[in-house]
Each structure stands twice: as C-alpha cells, then as structure tokens.
Amino acid sequence: MAQLYFYYSAMNAGKSTSLLQSSYNYNERGMRTLIFTAEIDTRFGKGKISSRIGLSADAFLFSQQTDIGELIRNENKQETVHCVLVDECQFLTKEQVKQLCKVTDYDDIPVLCYGLRTDFRGELFSGSQYLLAWADKLVELKTICHCGRKASRALRFDNKGVVMCDGDQVDIGGNEKYVSVCRKHYTDAINEVKGKRKDSM
C-alpha cells in the first residue's frame, strides 16, 4: 500500500539531496517519478531542483492554484507514475495536501514530501501543518547548529546582517539570509534583538 511521507528539517539538512537520490533510485529500476517544486522558488532556475552538492533535476511547478492531484492523475494516465516527490512542500495549501492524500489512498502512488517544518518565527507553514497532521510517516532529517546541538530553527537576517524578529512568512533565500540553529541559540539571538529594541526606546 502506498503511503504519504513528510521529510522535514531546518534549512541545509540535505532535503533536496535526499529527494533527488530517492528519485534516482526509482529511475534506476525503470520506474517513473514525478518531481514538483514551488513556483516561487527560482534560486536555481525555473522548474529546477538543485542540491548544495551539485545534483539537479527538472521539476513540475506548483503554485497555490495548482490542482496537483489532477495533474498527477493525468500524467499517470499517459504513463504509469511510480512515485511523486514534492520539494519545498511547506508551500502547499491545505487543499493540495488533501489532494496528495487522495493520490496516495485512491491512486496507490507513494508521495514523498520534503520541506521545512517551521518558519523563522518558529511557526508552522500551512503545508507543513497539514502534512504533520495527515502524513502516514514523519521523518526528521537532521542538521546541526554551530554549537553541535541539533538545529531545529532558522534565523533570518536582513541585508545588514541583523537578526529579524518579524516580517512576511515567505522570503526566499539561502545561506545569505538564513542560518539553522538550535532552540537555545535561536532564543538567545531573538532575545538579544528584542533587548536592543527596548534599550533604544
């Protein structure tokens, strides 16, 4: 029986590398995969997934308006789809996570989703919220803070290198904008910024 997987982590834990390796494993056995990535993330080119270690693959794009379930079913009619892989799955809507559940349950196609659990404020993304609630399997991909502890949060920096406490939830960027840290160093950094704000009042 097919299952819906949610592979989650902080930034720079190798999510895209893991996705590309999984797709390669299926392809090597003559099985077809469909890869999706968020339309808003164009850091590596439109419709492209790239890992930090140099692997890449073409991907279908999804936006909040995409009927991802219908797209998968249409592709499956043309040629059997053996696995669906979704990068940047935190940007999925509640409805799209429902669609992926139906693909798993009624079309019997495994779906592997890879993404962030929380944003720079420590709050859940919409796609992550519903994947945590509905996925059959939850798998944490680990990375480490500079202190050696498990990194579970992401600090966002402005263009002057100052830690940000608020702002839009979505702001696409990489190492120039985000750093993965443990809960302790996240809390310390946020408290330091808030303390400076109070001092300047």
Side-chain angles (χ1 to χ4, degrees):
M1 297 293 290
Q3 292 188 313
L4 173 61
Y5 295 80
F6 180 29
Y7 295 87
Y8 65 90
S9 74
M11 294 188 70
N12 296 332
K15 293 181 296 297
S16 297
T17 301
S18 181
L19 181 153
L20 292 167
Q21 181 65 56
S22 294
S23 180
Y24 177 83
N25 290 345
Y26 274 94
N27 297 160
E28 194 177 36
R29 289 159 179 76
M31 298 178 175
R32 184 185 181 210
T33 59
L34 294 186
I35 301 175
F36 290 86
T37 193
E39 186 175 74
I40 61 172
D41 189 352
T42 58
R43 286 174 295 163
F44 305 107
K46 203 167 184 180
K48 192 72 112 178
I49 294 177
S50 294
S51 72
R52 289 176 296 128
I53 62 170
L55 302 173
S56 65
D58 293 327
F60 288 90
L61 295 172
F62 71 86
S63 68
Q64 293 197 325
Q65 287 72 47
T66 304
D67 187 331
I68 202 165
E70 188 63 24
L71 200 161
I72 293 166
R73 275 186 285 278
N74 287 339
E75 286 291 324
N76 194 40
K77 284 176 187 174
Q78 295 174 38
E79 183 184 348
T80 301
V81 174
H82 297 93
C83 183
V84 173
L85 303 104
V86 184
D87 198 27
E88 305 292 354
C89 65
Q90 68 269 16
F91 298 131
L92 293 167
T93 64
K94 179 180 180 180
E95 185 56 38
Q96 287 168 331
V97 177
K98 279 185 182 178
Q99 292 166 11
L100 292 174
C101 288
K102 289 180 181 177
V103 165
T104 304
D105 296 340
Y106 295 97
D107 299 292
D108 201 29
I109 301 172
V111 178
L112 284 60
C113 295
Y114 297 78
L116 302 173
R117 182 174 56 170
T118 57
D119 63 19
F120 75 106
R121 297 167 298 190
E123 297 177 8
L124 291 170
F125 286 96
S126 176
S128 307
Q129 176 184 347
Y130 292 103
L131 284 165
L132 285 168
W134 300 336
D136 299 298
K137 293 280 177 68
L138 303 174
V139 182
E140 184 177 22
L141 302 176
K142 296 180 177 69
T143 189
I144 58 169
C145 177
H146 60 83
C147 70
R149 290 188 180 97
K150 182 181 81 172
S152 58
R153 302 283 182 92
L155 289 171
R156 180 192 287 177
F157 297 87
D158 65 18
N159 56 12
K160 294 178 182 176
V162 177
V163 171
M164 297 176 64
C165 297
D166 38 47
D168 293 337
Q169 183 179 52
V170 177
D171 187 5
I172 302 298
N175 293 343
E176 82 290 349
K177 195 173 288 186
Y178 294 95
V179 173
S180 294
V181 293
C182 66
R183 185 174 55 226
K184 177 183 182 295
H185 282 107
Y186 176 87
T187 303
D188 289 348
I190 295 298
N191 286 343
E192 183 180 351
V193 171
K194 289 181 176 177
K196 286 179 181 175
R197 284 184 181 177
K198 286 180 182 178
D199 291 342
S200 64
M201 289 179 180

Coordinates of all heavy atoms in Angstrom, one line a residue, residues 20 24 26-27 36 38 49 62 70 72 74 78 94 100 106 114-115 123 146 154 162 171 190 192 197 199:
L20 N 16.4 14.0 -4.5 CA 17.0 13.6 -5.8 C 17.5 12.2 -5.8 O 17.4 11.5 -6.8 CB 18.1 14.6 -6.1 CG 17.6 16.0 -6.5 CD1 18.7 17.0 -6.5 CD2 16.8 16.1 -7.8
Y24 N 16.3 9.1 -8.1 CA 17.3 8.4 -8.9 C 17.1 6.9 -8.6 O 17.2 6.1 -9.6 CB 18.7 8.8 -8.5 CG 19.8 8.0 -9.2 CD1 20.2 8.4 -10.4 CD2 20.4 6.9 -8.5 CE1 21.2 7.6 -11.1 CE2 21.4 6.2 -9.1 CZ 21.8 6.6 -10.4 OH 22.8 5.8 -11.0
Y26 N 14.4 5.2 -7.9 CA 13.3 4.7 -8.7 C 13.6 4.6 -10.2 O 13.3 3.6 -10.8 CB 12.1 5.6 -8.5 CG 11.2 5.3 -7.3 CD1 11.4 6.0 -6.1 CD2 10.2 4.4 -7.4 CE1 10.6 5.7 -5.0 CE2 9.4 4.2 -6.3 CZ 9.6 4.8 -5.1 OH 8.8 4.6 -4.0
N27 N 14.2 5.7 -10.7 CA 14.5 5.7 -12.1 C 15.5 4.6 -12.5 O 15.4 4.0 -13.6 CB 15.2 7.1 -12.5 CG 14.2 8.2 -12.3 OD1 14.6 9.4 -12.2 ND2 12.9 8.0 -12.2
F36 N 8.0 17.7 -8.1 CA 7.3 19.0 -8.0 C 8.2 19.9 -7.2 O 8.8 19.5 -6.2 CB 5.9 18.9 -7.4 CG 4.9 18.2 -8.3 CD1 4.8 16.9 -8.3 CD2 4.1 19.0 -9.2 CE1 3.9 16.2 -9.1 CE2 3.2 18.4 -10.0 CZ 3.1 17.0 -9.9
A38 N 8.1 24.3 -5.7 CA 7.3 25.6 -5.6 C 7.7 26.6 -6.7 O 8.9 26.8 -6.9 CB 7.5 26.2 -4.2
I49 N 15.2 21.6 -9.5 CA 15.6 21.3 -8.1 C 17.1 21.1 -8.1 O 17.6 20.3 -9.0 CB 14.9 20.1 -7.6 CG1 13.4 20.4 -7.5 CG2 15.4 19.7 -6.2 CD1 12.6 19.2 -7.0
F62 N 4.5 24.1 -8.9 CA 3.1 24.2 -8.3 C 3.1 25.6 -7.7 O 4.0 26.1 -7.1 CB 2.8 23.1 -7.3 CG 3.6 23.2 -6.0 CD1 3.1 24.0 -5.0 CD2 4.7 22.4 -5.8 CE1 3.8 24.0 -3.8 CE2 5.4 22.5 -4.6 CZ 5.0 23.3 -3.6
E70 N -5.0 16.4 -9.8 CA -5.4 16.2 -11.2 C -4.2 16.1 -12.1 O -4.2 15.3 -13.1 CB -6.3 17.4 -11.6 CG -7.0 17.3 -13.0 CD -7.9 16.1 -13.0 OE1 -8.5 15.7 -12.0 OE2 -8.2 15.6 -14.1
I72 N -1.2 15.0 -11.4 CA -0.6 13.6 -11.2 C -1.5 12.6 -11.9 O -0.9 11.7 -12.6 CB -0.5 13.3 -9.7 CG1 0.5 14.3 -9.1 CG2 -0.1 11.9 -9.5 CD1 0.5 14.3 -7.6
N74 N -3.5 12.9 -14.5 CA -3.4 13.0 -15.9 C -2.0 12.4 -16.4 O -2.0 11.7 -17.5 CB -3.4 14.4 -16.4 CG -4.9 15.0 -16.3 OD1 -5.8 14.2 -16.3 ND2 -5.0 16.3 -16.2
Q78 N -1.2 8.8 -18.9 CA -0.3 8.8 -20.1 C 0.8 7.8 -19.9 O 1.1 7.0 -20.9 CB 0.3 10.2 -20.3 CG -0.7 11.3 -20.7 CD -0.1 12.6 -20.7 OE1 1.0 12.8 -21.2 NE2 -0.8 13.6 -20.3
K94 N -3.6 23.7 2.2 CA -4.3 22.6 2.9 C -5.0 21.7 1.8 O -5.0 20.5 1.9 CB -5.4 23.2 3.8 CG -6.3 22.1 4.5 CD -7.3 22.8 5.4 CE -8.1 21.8 6.1 NZ -9.1 22.5 7.0
L100 N -2.9 15.3 -2.3 CA -1.8 14.3 -2.2 C -2.2 13.1 -1.4 O -1.8 11.9 -1.7 CB -0.6 14.9 -1.6 CG 0.1 16.0 -2.5 CD1 1.3 16.6 -1.8 CD2 0.6 15.4 -3.8
Y106 N -6.1 6.6 -3.2 CA -7.0 6.1 -4.2 C -6.3 5.7 -5.5 O -6.8 4.9 -6.3 CB -8.1 7.1 -4.5 CG -9.0 7.3 -3.3 CD1 -8.9 8.3 -2.4 CD2 -10.1 6.4 -3.1 CE1 -9.7 8.5 -1.3 CE2 -10.9 6.5 -2.0 CZ -10.7 7.5 -1.1 OH -11.5 7.7 0.0
Y114 N 9.1 16.9 1.0 CA 10.3 17.4 1.6 C 10.2 18.9 1.9 O 9.9 19.6 0.9 CB 11.6 17.1 0.8 CG 11.9 15.7 0.5 CD1 11.2 14.9 -0.4 CD2 12.9 15.0 1.2 CE1 11.4 13.6 -0.7 CE2 13.2 13.7 1.0 CZ 12.4 13.0 0.0 OH 12.7 11.6 -0.2
G115 N 10.4 19.3 3.1 CA 10.3 20.7 3.4 C 10.6 21.1 4.8 O 11.0 20.3 5.6
E123 N 7.0 29.3 13.7 CA 5.6 28.9 13.5 C 5.5 28.0 12.2 O 6.2 28.1 11.3 CB 4.8 30.2 13.3 CG 4.8 31.1 14.5 CD 4.0 32.4 14.3 OE1 3.4 32.5 13.3 OE2 4.1 33.2 15.2
H146 N 25.9 25.6 15.1 CA 27.3 25.8 15.2 C 27.9 25.3 16.5 O 29.1 25.0 16.7 CB 27.6 27.3 15.1 CG 27.0 28.2 16.1 ND1 27.5 28.4 17.4 CD2 25.8 28.9 16.0 CE1 26.6 29.2 18.0 NE2 25.6 29.5 17.2
A154 N 15.3 28.4 12.3 CA 16.1 29.2 11.3 C 16.0 30.6 11.7 O 14.9 31.2 12.0 CB 15.5 29.0 9.9
V162 N 21.4 41.8 10.4 CA 20.8 41.8 11.7 C 19.6 40.8 11.8 O 18.9 40.6 10.8 CB 20.2 43.2 12.0 CG1 19.4 43.3 13.3 CG2 21.3 44.3 11.9
D171 N 10.0 34.5 2.4 CA 11.1 35.3 1.9 C 12.2 34.4 1.4 O 13.0 33.9 2.2 CB 11.6 36.3 2.9 CG 12.6 37.3 2.3 OD1 12.7 37.3 1.0 OD2 13.1 38.1 3.0
I190 N 17.1 36.0 19.4 CA 15.9 36.8 19.3 C 15.8 37.7 20.6 O 15.4 38.9 20.5 CB 14.6 35.9 19.3 CG1 14.6 35.1 17.9 CG2 13.3 36.7 19.5 CD1 14.5 35.9 16.7
E192 N 18.2 38.9 22.3 CA 19.2 40.0 22.2 C 18.7 41.1 21.3 O 18.8 42.3 21.7 CB 20.5 39.4 21.6 CG 21.6 40.5 21.5 CD 22.9 39.9 20.9 OE1 23.0 38.7 20.7 OE2 23.8 40.7 20.6
R197 N 16.1 46.6 21.2 CA 14.9 47.4 20.8 C 14.4 48.2 22.0 O 14.1 49.4 22.0 CB 13.8 46.6 20.2 CG 14.0 46.1 18.8 CD 12.8 45.4 18.3 NE 13.0 44.9 17.0 CZ 12.0 44.2 16.3 NH1 10.9 43.8 16.9 NH2 12.3 43.8 15.1
D199 N 16.1 48.9 24.7 CA 17.1 49.8 25.2 C 17.1 51.1 24.3 O 17.5 52.2 24.8 CB 18.6 49.2 25.1 CG 18.8 48.1 26.1 OD1 18.0 48.0 27.1 OD2 19.7 47.3 25.9

